[in-house]
Amino acid sequence: MQKPAERIDHLLSRLGYCSRSEVRDLLREGQVRVAGELLRKASAKVDAALVWVDDEPIDHPHALYLLYHKPLGKVCAHDDPRAIYQDFPLRWRYRRPSLSSVGRLDRETSGVLLLTDDGDWLHHWTSPRRAIPRVYRVTLQAPLRGDAADILGAGTLMLEGEETPCRPAAMQRLTDQEVLLTLTEGRYHEVRRMFVALDNLVLTLQREAFGPFVLDDLPAGQWRELTEAERTMEKIP
Ligand code: URA
């Protein structure tokens, strides 16, 4: 989709290149071109797709859509020394709108995490109405009780401090102490709290899938951009 033209000083500061006043220096030094032509005026309105700085096209002029393998020990908050955002290019920390995760994973949870700076897209994938399936691989401290799958699947499990029961969750037993659990919502520490309610404790937790998105062989701490087809897919398998 064609984006409206934007002032060059606004665009480059919003994309994390430098402050608005520093854009004037870039312009004066002849470092900014639009469709190959030198640009001099900070107030000029430009099509972001045609802007080059320092002989390179500008970095993701429109939006970012990423699939990240969140490692253990990192947090989804922005203002934390252990923030996941340290695994991305430094310039992206200064972008507006800011890059945000699509939902959150706990510090001690690894696995699939999407990130974007496109608010509509983020809303699409977090809206409770869409009930996106999230698949977790869980290892437990103690052997599972025999009625665990029935309780989790019933849609009646109440967690402490909550006013509505958890949505039904599908559990597949892999061993006595390892399961795959599919949730269609994302409450705070939900998987851990569900197993506490079943008199057990989660030892390790990895998100294997979020809707159609899976890690494949993406190593922990690494990310890749989504393809056009992935970004625009509407249907959830
Ligand atoms: N449930 C949890 O308990 N933690 C997560 O990170 C995700 C789901």
Side-chain angles (χ1 to χ4, degrees):
M1 193 182 42
Q2 178 82 32
K3 301 268 176 179
E6 185 175 349
R7 277 180 63 126
I8 188 72
D9 53 353
H10 187 262
L11 176 73
L12 293 183
S13 63
R14 191 175 68 66
L15 295 181
Y17 275 80
C18 51
S19 69
R20 260 177 107 153
S21 56
E22 286 163 350
V23 173
R24 289 174 202 281
D25 299 333
L26 288 183
L27 293 166
R28 207 175 305 118
E29 289 157 13
Q31 294 193 47
V32 183
R33 288 179 183 268
V34 178
E37 299 290 319
L38 267 184
L39 190 73
R40 296 288 184 189
K41 266 177 67 184
S43 61
K45 290 200 167 182
V46 296
D47 172 353
L50 304 178
V51 177
W52 286 44
V53 172
D54 262 347
D55 298 323
E56 283 186 18
I58 52 171
D59 185 6
H60 294 83
H62 298 315
L64 294 164
Y65 303 92
L66 310 173
L67 190 157
Y68 172 58
H69 183 162
K70 182 196 168 294
L72 296 174
K74 293 261 170 134
V75 300
C76 291
H78 279 91
D79 49 356
D80 190 296
R82 299 153 305 173
I84 54 175
Y85 298 97
Q86 291 175 341
D87 283 347
F88 301 95
L90 180 63
R91 179 183 294 134
W92 293 2
R93 283 186 227 165
Y94 303 100
R95 279 175 74 106
R96 280 170 285 126
S98 57
L99 182 64
S100 300
S101 60
V102 176
R104 289 187 167 204
L105 292 175
D106 302 339
R107 192 181 65 188
E108 292 313 324
T109 303
S110 58
V112 179
L113 189 65
L114 301 176
L115 293 107
T116 187
D117 54 4
D118 175 340
D120 290 340
W121 196 83
L122 187 142
H123 182 256
H124 174 93
W125 289 102
T126 49
S127 165
R129 213 166 41 80
R130 286 205 171 76
I132 306 295
R134 297 116 156 110
V135 182
Y136 295 92
R137 181 178 291 268
V138 189
T139 61
L140 297 163
Q141 188 177 60
L144 264 176
R145 48 195 264 188
D147 55 0
D150 291 341
I151 295 175
L152 294 169
T156 52
L157 185 65
M158 287 295 292
L159 299 178
E160 215 179 302
E162 302 267 347
E163 290 181 351
T164 53
C166 297
R167 283 194 186 155
M171 197 198 87
Q172 183 190 345
R173 184 189 294 257
L174 302 176
T175 68
D176 267 4
Q177 286 172 232
E178 189 175 16
V179 301
L180 287 179
L181 187 68
T182 304
L183 307 189
T184 57
E185 60 182 357
R187 301 187 195 195
Y188 179 69
H189 288 178
E190 187 163 8
V191 175
R192 297 175 199 278
R193 291 160 73 212
M194 285 171 120
F195 283 100
V196 166
L198 296 179
D199 308 315
N200 213 322
L201 272 184
V202 169
L203 293 184
T204 67
L205 187 55
Q206 158 131 329
R207 184 152 74 188
E208 306 237 309
F210 182 87
F213 300 101
V214 293
L215 291 172
D216 288 326
D217 49 9
L218 189 65
Q222 303 287 306
W223 54 270
R224 69 167 176 86
E225 292 189 44
L226 297 185
T227 62
E228 169 85 18
E230 287 174 319
R231 283 197 280 116
T232 51
M233 78 173 97
E234 281 291 326
K235 295 271 179 285
I236 315 302

